[in-house]
Amino acid sequence: MKEELIARVVQVLQINMRWMTWNLFLAFIPLALSVWLFRIKRGGTWLWWLGFLVFYAFLPNAPYLLTDVIHLIDDIRTIQSVWMITLVLIPVYLLVILGGFEAYVISLINWGHYLHRIGKSHWIWRVELITHFLCAVGVYWGRFLRFNSWDFITQPDALLTKGVEEILGKQPLVIIAITFVVLAGLYWIMKRVTLGLSQRDSRIGINSERANSNTPNI
């Protein structure tokens, strides 16, 4: 019985690893672009603006991982073992979902860093709210209408017609509003945790350098 259960868990994880790896890859595309756009490059060139558009086209893929919790519910029903679910399944899902959302958080932190660098710090919170709303729409398009980021190029007409028409209904607007609130709330928490850890690491690094500089040479 144990062997069958373990084999079933391994099978479920193997199936999940395919879409988990792919979704994480898509989530880390905007993170990589945010480093290039907002930390390395300076705006103004056509290449920067092209990268900026691609950044926003792929950004909803990061918070989209939050909706993959629906697969966890199906897997729990399949495995039906409290220990396997608690010790294996849930940790894997948490790692993937948090990894994707952290990519979202760091991407927006980099965006805010760029705005601060060009003297537009007062725009940071506005840009964050606008981005949360756009990503809420993008998550709805991806989860319910099954659109992908590259559909902006491959089928822009369907995206603009069907996509816009679908979100004007009462139920889609409610879902988008709830998604917006969830994104804004989780982002507010994770941003402070991320910045707090970053500042702590910086202080540790500074203290280590001071300690090394104060240590006499032998």
Side-chain angles (χ1 to χ4, degrees):
M1 187 66 180
K2 286 185 178 180
E3 289 77 8
E4 293 180 1
L5 179 60
I6 293 174
R8 184 56 179 162
V9 172
V10 172
Q11 182 184 10
V12 170
L13 289 178
Q14 287 177 340
I15 295 173
N16 286 339
M17 283 303 166
R18 298 170 188 170
W19 63 261
M20 284 180 175
T21 303
W22 175 247
N23 286 356
L24 275 177
F25 170 74
L26 294 178
F28 277 86
I29 289 177
L31 175 59
L33 283 172
S34 74
V35 174
W36 182 75
L37 289 168
F38 308 132
R39 295 282 183 173
I40 299 175
K41 298 289 290 184
R42 289 186 175 274
T45 65
W46 69 268
L47 185 60
W48 188 91
W49 282 108
L50 177 61
F52 183 77
L53 293 176
V54 175
F55 166 76
Y56 262 100
F58 278 87
L59 187 59
N61 289 291
Y64 177 86
L65 280 160
L66 292 172
T67 67
D68 285 330
V69 71
I70 63 174
H71 299 301
L72 174 61
I73 298 173
D74 293 335
D75 290 342
I76 289 174
R77 292 171 180 169
T78 300
I79 295 176
Q80 295 181 344
S81 170
V82 176
W83 289 108
M84 288 296 181
I85 292 170
T86 305
L87 299 178
V88 180
L89 204 60
I90 291 179
V92 170
Y93 269 89
L94 282 177
L95 183 63
V96 172
I97 291 174
L98 287 177
F101 197 78
E102 183 64 16
Y104 179 70
V105 172
I106 297 176
S107 297
L108 285 189
I109 289 176
N110 289 338
W111 192 187
H113 172 81
Y114 178 81
L115 290 172
H116 177 74
R117 191 175 69 187
I118 63 175
K120 303 291 185 181
S121 299
H122 59 284
W123 272 97
I124 292 177
W125 68 272
R126 296 182 178 91
V127 167
E128 288 176 345
L129 290 179
I130 293 172
T131 302
H132 296 329
F133 173 74
L134 293 176
C135 284
V137 174
V139 169
Y140 179 84
W141 279 350
R143 174 53 65 189
F144 294 96
L145 304 184
R146 309 310 297 169
F147 282 119
N148 296 303
S149 298
W150 46 87
D151 287 331
F152 282 101
I153 303 299
T154 59
Q155 46 178 340
D157 51 342
L159 191 66
L160 293 177
T161 55
K162 182 181 178 182
V164 173
E165 288 175 1
E166 288 289 336
I167 66 174
L168 296 179
K170 183 178 180 181
Q171 183 177 358
L173 288 177
V174 171
I175 295 174
I176 291 171
I178 294 174
T179 305
F180 170 80
V181 172
V182 171
L183 291 183
L186 287 179
Y187 174 77
W188 186 86
I189 296 171
M190 292 295 292
K191 179 182 180 181
R192 274 143 188 79
V193 172
T194 302
L195 292 177
L197 292 174
S198 176
Q199 292 172 359
R200 188 194 67 174
D201 291 340
S202 298
R203 288 195 296 268
I204 291 175
I206 294 173
N207 292 334
S208 297
E209 291 178 0
R210 289 177 178 174
N212 292 331
S213 63
N214 292 331
T215 301
N217 294 327
I218 298 176

